[in-house]
Amino acid sequence: MAIKVAFHNLGCKVNSYETEAMLAGLKKRGFVEVPFEEGADVYVINTCTVTNIADRKSRQMLHRAKAMDPDAAVVAVGCYAQAAGESLLADEAVDIVVGNDRKHELPDLIEAWFESHEKQSALDDIGKSRRFEEMPAECSEHTRAFLKIEDGCNQFCAYCLIPYVRGRVRSRDPEDVLEEARRLAEKGWSEIVLTGIHISSYGLDFEGDAGMRAAGYGAPLIALLRRLDEIPGIRRIRLGSLEPRLITPENAAALASLRTLCPHFHLSLQSGCDETLRRMNRKYTAAEFAEKVRLLREAFDRPALTTDVIVGFPGETEEEFAATVAFLEEIRFAQTHVFRYSRRKGTVADRMPDQIPEPVKAERSAVLLDLNRKNRLAYAKQFIGERREVLLETAEEGADSPVWTGYTPEYLRLKVPVNGMPGQYVSVMVKEENLLLTEE
Ligand code: SF4
C-alpha cells in the first residue's frame, strides 16, 4: 500500500517552493499526499529558523506530529533542522533529520526508516556546499507561480542567521530555470515570481564569461530575464528582494527594456541611518540607496518600490531612528514592511551591547507603520483616473454579481466587478473605491 505523507510548511516563499518540490519527488516515488492530521504514515515539517520564535514553532510542530501518531515517521527538514543538526535526533519526537541541500534524498531516507525503524539523518556542512540542489516544483499562489533560481547568501548581515543555514550562493542552471518556466507557461501560469535567498547574487558562482565576476554585478540575472522574456505565454515577471548594488544606470536601462518585468521592486533598506547600516553590516549608505531609487524612478514610470525596515536594532538611538523616519519621508516607498528587531542566537547582533527594550521597539514600529499607511495611500492615489491591467485572482463568495480582486503590474490590489475567471487580464479604471489597501 502507498505510504501516506503529510507536510507542514513554515517560513518563507523559498521554503514553500521546496515543500512543493519535495512533495513532487515523493509523489513520483508512489507516496500519496494526505492532510496534516491524524492518519498519515509520515509527517514532514519544513522548518524555519529566522527568529527564536520560528525555532520554537518548528519544535512545536514536530512534537504535535509525534503526538498525533507515535508510530508515524516524523521528519525535520530545512533551516531549523540544519541549524539544530544531529542534536535534533536526540529528540524522541524526531525520526529523520534532513538539512538544506539534502532534501532530494527525502524519499530514500523515508524508505530506509520504514525498513529499519532506525533514526536517519542527512546533514552536511552547508558552508561547503557549492552546487544548487536541483528539485523542480510547481509552487503557486492564486494566479502567480514561484520559481526558485538561487540558494544561499554571502552577505552576513549582523542580525541574520541565514548564511549559516543556507550556505553560500548557489545559482540554478539557466536551462533548468527556463525549462521550468516553459512548463509553467504551458500549464497556464502567466505570472512568475523569481525567488531565492539572495537573487541579486544569481550567477556569482558561474564560471567563465557568463558568470558575475566576468560580466558584472547583476549581469547573469539580467541575461536570465532576457531569456525568460522570450517565452510565449509569460506575461509578467516579478522579482524577489533585490540588493541596491544591482541597480546601476546600465542595469536599470536593461531591466526597463524587458517586456515582462513588472515595475515593482523590493529593495531592502533596513535602516535610513548610515551608522545603523554600518553596524548591521549592510554594504551601502542611505545616500547610495537614494541614488538607486532615483535610477529606478528615471527608468520606469512610477515603479512600486517596496522595502523592509528593522526598528530597534541594538544601539539604535533616537537620532538614528529619526534619520530613518526622515529617509522614509523623503523616499515615499509604496510599501514598507516594518520588523521589530528580534534577537537571534548565533548572530553578531545578538552579542551587541545596548539592546533596545521592547516598548521602545513597539513605539518606533507604530511611527513607521503610520508613515507607511500615508505613503502607501499616496502611491496608490497617483493612479486614480488611469486604466491599469489587472490579473484576476479570486472572486468574493456569496455576492450576487461577482466581484474579483487582482493585481496591477505595480502590485496595486483592485476590486473588479466583472464576469471573469481566475488568470484573466482585464483593463480597469482605478478609482478610490476599488483600491484595496488593507492587505498586502
Ligand atoms: S542579505 Fe542579509 S538579511 Fe538577506 S539573507 Fe543575506 S544575510 Fe540575511
Side-chain angles (χ1 to χ4, degrees):
M1 228 182 22
I3 297 174
K4 289 176 281 176
V5 60
F7 269 84
H8 183 81
N9 186 71
L10 293 158
C12 62
K13 285 281 179 262
V14 177
N15 255 27
S16 311
Y17 179 93
E18 290 166 351
T19 288
E20 293 297 328
M22 285 186 278
L23 191 55
L26 287 167
K27 282 181 176 169
K28 239 188 229 167
R29 285 276 273 270
F31 289 69
V32 174
E33 188 192 8
V34 293
F36 198 89
E37 52 195 45
E38 233 173 288
D41 302 311
V42 186
Y43 294 90
V44 184
I45 291 91
N46 196 6
T47 60
C48 174
T49 191
V50 72
T51 58
N52 294 341
I53 294 168
D55 279 3
R56 199 167 66 230
K57 279 192 190 159
S58 298
R59 282 193 300 269
Q60 277 169 352
M61 283 314 295
L62 292 163
H63 285 247
R64 190 186 298 175
K66 200 57 164 183
M68 271 196 288
D69 190 344
D71 294 329
V74 173
V75 186
V77 59
C79 293
Y80 175 66
Q82 181 71 45
E86 296 279 350
S87 69
L88 249 189
L89 285 174
D91 187 328
E92 285 186 358
V94 180
D95 301 294
I96 304 174
V97 180
V98 190
N100 286 326
D101 243 22
R102 304 276 301 265
K103 298 185 183 97
H104 63 284
E105 294 175 35
L106 189 58
D108 291 341
L109 291 160
I110 295 174
E111 282 171 6
W113 185 85
F114 274 99
E115 268 169 36
S116 65
H117 276 75
E118 279 173 14
K119 295 210 181 208
Q120 306 287 322
S121 83
L123 286 160
D124 282 336
D125 176 354
I126 194 83
K128 293 199 175 130
S129 178
R130 293 290 175 268
R131 288 197 58 189
F132 183 86
E133 185 182 26
E134 179 56 33
M135 273 198 315
E138 268 164 38
C139 177
S140 57
E141 180 185 271
H142 300 299
T143 47
R144 76 181 67 84
F146 292 82
L147 205 171
K148 184 179 163 190
I149 62 166
E150 180 274 344
D151 207 338
C153 178
N154 296 3
Q155 301 292 307
F156 292 94
C157 299
Y159 48 82
C160 185
L161 197 70
I162 295 306
Y164 305 95
V165 295
R166 283 274 175 187
R168 302 294 81 75
V169 169
R170 276 117 49 225
S171 308
R172 191 170 184 185
D173 188 310
E175 299 308 326
D176 292 329
V177 175
L178 292 164
E179 192 188 313
E180 189 162 315
R182 283 188 206 104
R183 211 172 48 238
L184 288 165
E186 274 161 22
K187 291 196 172 167
W189 301 104
S190 63
E191 181 171 319
I192 288 181
V193 186
L194 301 187
T195 61
I197 301 298
H198 196 254
I199 62 166
S200 297
S201 294
Y202 180 77
L204 185 66
D205 51 332
F206 289 160
E207 303 286 337
D209 292 349
M212 193 186 281
R213 285 177 218 284
Y217 200 83
L221 180 64
I222 289 170
L224 180 70
L225 287 166
R226 285 202 173 108
R227 295 185 69 191
L228 288 165
D229 215 40
E230 288 165 6
I231 296 179
I234 294 183
R235 216 153 136 171
R236 286 182 177 181
I237 292 181
R238 296 185 194 275
L239 299 173
S241 186
L242 289 182
E243 178 71 26
R245 188 158 40 123
L246 187 131
I247 310 301
T248 60
E250 300 72 32
N251 286 352
L255 293 172
S257 72
L258 296 165
R259 170 185 67 88
T260 51
L261 189 68
C262 290
H264 169 203
F265 301 96
H266 187 84
L267 299 179
S268 282
L269 171 68
Q270 308 306 10
S271 169
C273 164
D274 289 347
E275 183 49 33
T276 318
L277 287 169
R278 190 193 58 72
R279 287 200 307 282
M280 288 176 164
N281 196 28
R282 303 288 291 178
K283 295 166 185 81
Y284 50 82
T285 63
E288 283 161 357
F289 191 104
E291 172 59 11
K292 307 304 180 184
V293 167
R294 192 190 65 74
L295 287 172
L296 284 172
R297 285 184 172 155
E298 207 172 75
F300 291 85
D301 173 26
R302 293 165 295 167
L305 303 180
T306 59
T307 200
D308 300 320
V309 174
I310 296 173
V311 293
F313 187 75
E316 186 186 59
T317 62
E318 283 299 333
E319 291 71 32
E320 291 185 7
F321 177 64
T324 294
V325 175
F327 190 76
L328 293 176
E329 280 169 343
E330 178 197 329
I331 299 289
R332 290 169 287 105
F333 287 99
Q335 167 86 319
T336 303
H337 302 272
V338 181
F339 296 91
R340 296 182 201 179
Y341 168 72
S342 159
R343 293 180 83 154
R344 188 69 195 84
K345 269 189 218 126
T347 59
V348 173
D350 184 46
R351 299 190 293 275
M352 284 182 179
D354 304 322
Q355 297 284 331
I356 306 296
E358 288 305 319
V360 176
K361 290 183 199 168
E363 262 171 45
R364 292 179 184 173
S365 166
V367 170
L368 295 197
L369 288 172
D370 193 44
L371 183 56
N372 175 46
R373 271 186 288 275
K374 287 181 200 141
N375 284 342
R376 238 184 128 191
L377 189 63
Y379 176 75
K381 278 191 163 180
Q382 302 175 74
F383 297 93
I384 289 177
E386 293 182 27
R387 295 201 84 80
R388 280 288 175 276
E389 184 189 64
V390 173
L391 173 57
L392 301 182
E393 288 203 348
T394 46
E396 219 171 83
E397 279 178 30
D400 293 341
S401 50
V403 179
W404 287 81
T405 55
Y407 289 88
T408 70
E410 300 83 4
Y411 214 61
L412 290 175
R413 190 160 168 255
L414 295 185
K415 256 194 311 192
V416 190
V418 69
N419 273 319
M421 49 199 279
Q424 185 184 338
Y425 289 86
V426 290
S427 170
V428 179
M429 177 66 78
V430 182
K431 297 182 190 147
E432 185 136 18
E433 57 272 25
N434 63 7
L435 270 172
L436 290 164
L437 291 170
T438 46
E439 259 185 72
E440 300 232 325

